[in-house]
Each structure stands twice: as C-alpha cells, then as structure tokens.
Amino acid sequence: MDVVLLGSGNVATHLGRALIASGHRIAQVYSRSLAGAKALADALGVAATDNLQAIATGADLYVISVTDGAIGDVASSLPPVTGIVVHTAGSIPMDALSGHAAHFGVLYPVQTFSKAVAVDFSSLPLAVEASDEATLTQLEALAASLSSRVFRCDSNQRLSLHVAAVFACNFVNHCYAIGDAILARHGLDFDLIRPLILETAAKVMAHRPDAVQTGPAVRNDTDTMRRHLALLADCPGLAQLYGTLSERIRPTP
Amino acid sequence: MDVVLLGSGNVATHLGRALIASGHRIAQVYSRSLAGAKALADALGVAATDNLQAIATGADLYVISVTDGAIGDVASSLPPVTGIVVHTAGSIPMDALSGHAAHFGVLYPVQTFSKAVAVDFSSLPLAVEASDEATLTQLEALAASLSSRVFRCDSNQRLSLHVAAVFACNFVNHCYAIGDAILARHGLDFDLIRPLILETAAKVMAHRPDAVQTGPAVRNDTDTMRRHLALLADCPGLAQLYGTLSERIRPTP
C-alpha cells in the first residue's frame, strides 16, 4: 500500500518502520511541526510536510498517529482523499473520523512504544475496526502483513483494552516506582528487585494472574501486613494504597 | 556445608536444590507434616523427619524456611545445636532467633518462588544478616557459593525490601488480574496484553521506572482519563483505584 503518515511520535515512528519492512511504501510524513515531520521522514527516506493541504491525495491509506486530542482536528482538516483514513488510538471511538472520509477505521497496536527501543511487530496484537466490510477486509490484509495477531475489536472493546493496559502497564510501572522509592529511602538499590519484577511478568505469560497471586494479602497474613504498614507509617498515602490493594487481594471469607 | 532444612515449602525446595547443586550436603529435611518432609527429602535424596527432637545436632547450618508465624516456634523448639541457625523470611527481624542459638542470622532470597518453576540462583540477590561478624563471614561465603549477588542488609532494610517487593510483585500481579477481569467483561482475552506486560517489565531492567512512566495520567490527559472512568462507572472500587493511582502519577503543577 501507499501510505501517508500523519504524526511523528512513537507510534508513527514504529509503525512507519514496520510498514516499510513489510514492503509498503510511505508516500509522505506530515506533522504539525516541520522539524518533527522531517526527523521521521528523513529516517524513513521520504518527504516531509507541515501543511495538511499539501499532502498527497492519491495514497491508499492515511494513518493519523497524533495525540488523542488532535485526531479530530487532523481528520477534519484533511483535503478530500479516496484512500482509507485510520487512527491508531486506544480510547478514541472510530466515529471521530466519521464525516471526514468515505472509508475509515482504526489500527490499534497493543503495545507501549519508546522511540529508542525496537519493537517486533510480527507477534504484536493489532486491533482493527472499519466503517464498512470492504474497508475492514483491506485493513485486515494490511495488518496481517505486519503481524500474525490481528483481531477485530469495536470501539468500546478497544476502550476496555486501553483501560486494561493502563492497569497492567502504566499502573504496574507506578508500582515499580513505589518499590524504587521505598528502597531508596532505606539505602537499597532498585536493582535488587529487578529479577523479581521480571519473574512476576514471566509467570503470567503462561498463567492467569489470579492463579499465581502471592504475598501476605492472599494468605491473609495479618501479622506481616501489620509490620509492612508500620514501615509505611510516615507515608500515609502509601499506607492507604497498601491497605486498599491488600483488601482487594484478600480472599473473601 | 552440612545443612538441615527445616520446612518443605517453595523456598526450602528451591534453596535445597541450589545448595546441593553448589556442592553442599543436605543432612536432613524436617517438616511439621511428615508427608511434606518426605516429599522434599525424597526429591533431594535425603532423610526426613517430623520430630524436631530427632534432628541431627552436628550440622553446620540450620535453615528455617517455614511460614513467618511459625519461625519463632521452630527456633524455640530446636535441640541445642552448635551450627548457625538462619531463617529466610523477608519481614521477620533476625532477633526472632535470638536466645535460641549461639550463632544465628538471615539468608533472604529476593525472588518469588513457585514449586513448578525452576529458579536460577546464580544471579539472584541474596540478603544476609548475622548475629556476629564471624557468622556473617560464614554466611556470606555460603551465599556466595550460590549467587554472585550477595549483600548485607539489616532487619529494617530487609523489611523495606519486602514491602518494596509487595508493591513491585504482589500488587503488580493484582494489576494484571484487574486487566484480565476488564478484558473478560468485554469478551477479550488476557493474551492480548501479555506482550505489553512483558515489555513494561523489560523497560525497567535498564531504566528507573519514574523515567519511563507512560499513559494518560503522566501526560495529564484528562479527556482520556474521563473516558476510562466512564467505562469503569459500574465498578466503583476500580474507578476509585484508577483515580487514586492516576492522581499519584499526575505531575505536580
């Protein structure tokens, strides 16, 4: 497919690379900032623009990978195009594109992206949704050229996937950060719990998390929880969070 | 060293295997339940007993790996021994062994153990603490024969390590479980977020968690957070937890 990338952030960068690696052609990179557009366009060896009215109108696919709040603006400012217009956001309904293109949809990669870390798209879950069956078939074919794990997912399911990801990724990382802060306060290094963190993630690759829950709360070990709360006595917010999460984990009698 | 294992749970099992693999000798396995003692003793090819008065009194080391609440009972019921007595618990002060042995200490492996999953001790952080310098030196030598990551750690530091592990392992696993439950409610499979979970853990192997925090809260993306809270509207407990964690992550203005 001939693809125009609208956006130059993490998702646009990784998706652009994956599209080229799978034999697609990036026609152009647009970004509100010309410097951002150029940085990505140069890396991909294609043309850059910061003018939406100057984008190629004959491409097969327009991928809007901008911040959630700007998706509607970019879509409504597009010149008339015949290709499919998609966004890549987890929590924005597909209908944000409705009225701005004849054929539209969503291509949502379920992963956390950093610019510096390479991402293997070949086994990455890719959620697709489209305005009509023919568009869906085209998007599925495109997605299948990138990954072996393509699945259909409506906007509300995609939102639930995004919320699940916030718990299992963003909030998990914050729990790591709390661990780091507690260790630092006691003169210990975060490195001491890195093997534990990796093993905890590795365990749920083959098991459901509920089946492998460990720790004092699931054992209802009130003595240990009391000792832990005593250590957190001078951090009321952490003590309260410890209590809330332990109460959720504790088996109901 | 000649070692008597007191306990037959996950830590005793993995530590027993690691000790043998490093050339030590297990003299005996004690457990309150003879079946439990036999299961582990048979696996290690050694003798079992459920009678504390029948344990070998000439060993170099006695490792108490029982539930936290039973450590004091086992220690106080030991016959007089000349070897070092240690426990392996994260949150129990070393002084729980005081008065029950001339030389005592703690050997705490910072990892989560399941019976079915093999554990590589060679790079596992091992915290040691001892009643006196000579005992500490002996314990460090033993620990160094198991792992390249041995460190000294007093009882209060060890407690902080245990609390940090609860956040970075037990509470993290619960966040995975919440993600799983949200997906299940919307007809989606936990498998969809497994790559995300693994990548989130992998990221903090080389970075501090604070430096790689992602998601709507750290971006202060209130529109997305509002959409997420709307999805959680019929789970008040989850919505509240979402709010608490997001508030902690949100940058202070």
Side-chain angles (χ1 to χ4, degrees):
Chain A
M1 279 196 181
D2 260 30
V3 182
V4 171
L5 282 182
L6 302 134
S8 59
N10 289 338
V11 177
T13 301
H14 287 285
L15 195 55
R17 286 184 196 144
L19 284 165
I20 289 177
S22 298
H24 302 282
R25 195 179 82 88
I26 308 294
Q28 208 176 18
V29 174
Y30 157 85
S31 173
R32 199 167 41 176
S33 129
L34 188 59
K38 275 191 169 154
L40 177 54
D42 288 354
L44 300 178
V46 306
T49 180
D50 63 350
N51 178 3
L52 271 180
Q53 300 316 308
I55 65 163
T57 54
D60 303 308
L61 181 69
Y62 296 81
V63 179
I64 304 178
S65 282
V66 297
T67 54
D68 291 4
I71 291 172
D73 289 344
V74 170
S76 66
S77 307
L78 283 177
V81 297
T82 51
I84 302 169
V85 177
V86 300
H87 75 66
T88 58
S91 79
I92 302 289
M94 178 176 69
D95 284 347
L97 305 176
S98 170
H100 307 306
H103 305 287
F104 55 94
V106 178
L107 183 67
Y108 170 54
V110 189
Q111 187 51 287
T112 171
F113 296 101
S114 324
K115 274 210 169 109
V117 182
V119 174
D120 176 15
F121 264 72
S122 66
S123 58
L124 200 107
L126 283 179
V128 296
E129 183 180 10
S131 54
D132 54 277
E133 196 60 32
T135 304
L136 186 57
T137 304
Q138 283 182 274
L139 278 183
E140 281 182 319
L142 174 88
S145 75
L146 300 175
S147 163
S148 60
R149 296 182 64 186
V150 178
F151 63 104
R152 297 181 179 197
C153 178
D154 68 30
S155 288
N156 196 54
Q157 285 181 309
R158 185 158 34 79
L159 179 61
S160 77
L161 193 47
H162 203 237
V163 175
V166 166
F167 278 96
C169 166
N170 306 148
F171 290 168
V172 157
N173 187 74
H174 182 61
C175 288
Y176 299 158
I178 292 173
D180 187 11
I182 292 170
L183 292 176
R185 282 194 60 174
H186 293 85
L188 296 171
D189 199 279
F190 180 62
D191 208 36
L192 294 174
I193 58 171
R194 282 196 167 113
L196 181 65
I197 283 172
L198 209 53
E199 178 66 20
T200 302
K203 261 190 195 175
V204 297
M205 294 303 109
H207 300 276
R208 298 287 287 270
D210 257 345
V212 293
Q213 183 68 53
T214 56
V218 75
R219 294 195 307 269
N220 202 13
D221 177 350
T222 50
D223 287 342
T224 298
M225 290 191 275
R226 204 172 45 237
R227 280 190 293 272
H228 287 177
L229 286 169
L231 186 98
L232 298 173
D234 54 348
C235 315
L238 276 190
Q240 199 174 351
L241 183 58
Y242 184 101
T244 301
L245 289 167
S246 295
E247 202 50 56
R248 290 186 55 87
I249 293 171
R250 196 202 292 260
T252 41
Chain B
M1 277 195 180
D2 259 30
V3 182
V4 170
L5 283 182
L6 302 135
S8 60
N10 289 338
V11 177
T13 301
H14 287 285
L15 195 55
R17 286 184 196 144
L19 284 165
I20 289 176
S22 297
H24 301 282
R25 195 180 81 89
I26 308 295
Q28 206 176 18
V29 175
Y30 157 85
S31 173
R32 198 168 40 177
S33 128
L34 188 60
K38 275 193 168 153
L40 177 55
D42 288 354
L44 300 177
V46 304
T49 179
D50 62 351
N51 178 3
L52 272 180
Q53 299 318 308
I55 65 164
T57 53
D60 302 309
L61 181 69
Y62 295 81
V63 179
I64 304 179
S65 283
V66 298
T67 54
D68 290 5
I71 291 172
D73 289 344
V74 170
S76 66
S77 308
L78 281 178
V81 297
T82 51
I84 302 169
V85 177
V86 299
H87 75 66
T88 60
S91 80
I92 302 289
M94 177 176 70
D95 284 346
L97 305 177
S98 170
H100 306 307
H103 304 287
F104 55 93
V106 178
L107 183 66
Y108 170 55
V110 189
Q111 186 53 285
T112 171
F113 296 101
S114 324
K115 274 211 171 112
V117 181
V119 173
D120 176 16
F121 264 72
S122 66
S123 60
L124 201 108
L126 283 180
V128 296
E129 183 180 9
S131 54
D132 55 277
E133 197 59 32
T135 303
L136 186 57
T137 303
Q138 283 182 274
L139 278 183
E140 281 182 319
L142 174 88
S145 74
L146 300 174
S147 163
S148 59
R149 296 182 65 186
V150 178
F151 63 104
R152 298 181 179 197
C153 178
D154 69 30
S155 288
N156 196 53
Q157 284 182 309
R158 185 159 34 79
L159 179 62
S160 77
L161 193 48
H162 202 237
V163 175
V166 166
F167 277 95
C169 167
N170 306 148
F171 290 167
V172 157
N173 187 75
H174 182 62
C175 288
Y176 299 157
I178 292 173
D180 187 11
I182 292 170
L183 292 176
R185 282 194 60 174
H186 292 85
L188 296 171
D189 199 280
F190 180 63
D191 208 36
L192 294 174
I193 59 170
R194 282 196 166 114
L196 182 65
I197 283 172
L198 208 54
E199 178 65 18
T200 302
K203 261 190 194 174
V204 297
M205 293 304 108
H207 299 277
R208 298 287 285 270
D210 256 344
V212 293
Q213 183 68 52
T214 57
V218 75
R219 293 194 310 269
N220 203 12
D221 178 350
T222 50
D223 287 342
T224 298
M225 290 191 275
R226 204 173 44 239
R227 281 190 292 273
H228 287 177
L229 287 169
L231 185 98
L232 298 173
D234 54 348
C235 315
L238 276 190
Q240 201 176 349
L241 182 59
Y242 183 102
T244 301
L245 289 167
S246 295
E247 202 50 55
R248 291 186 55 89
I249 293 170
R250 196 203 293 261
T252 40

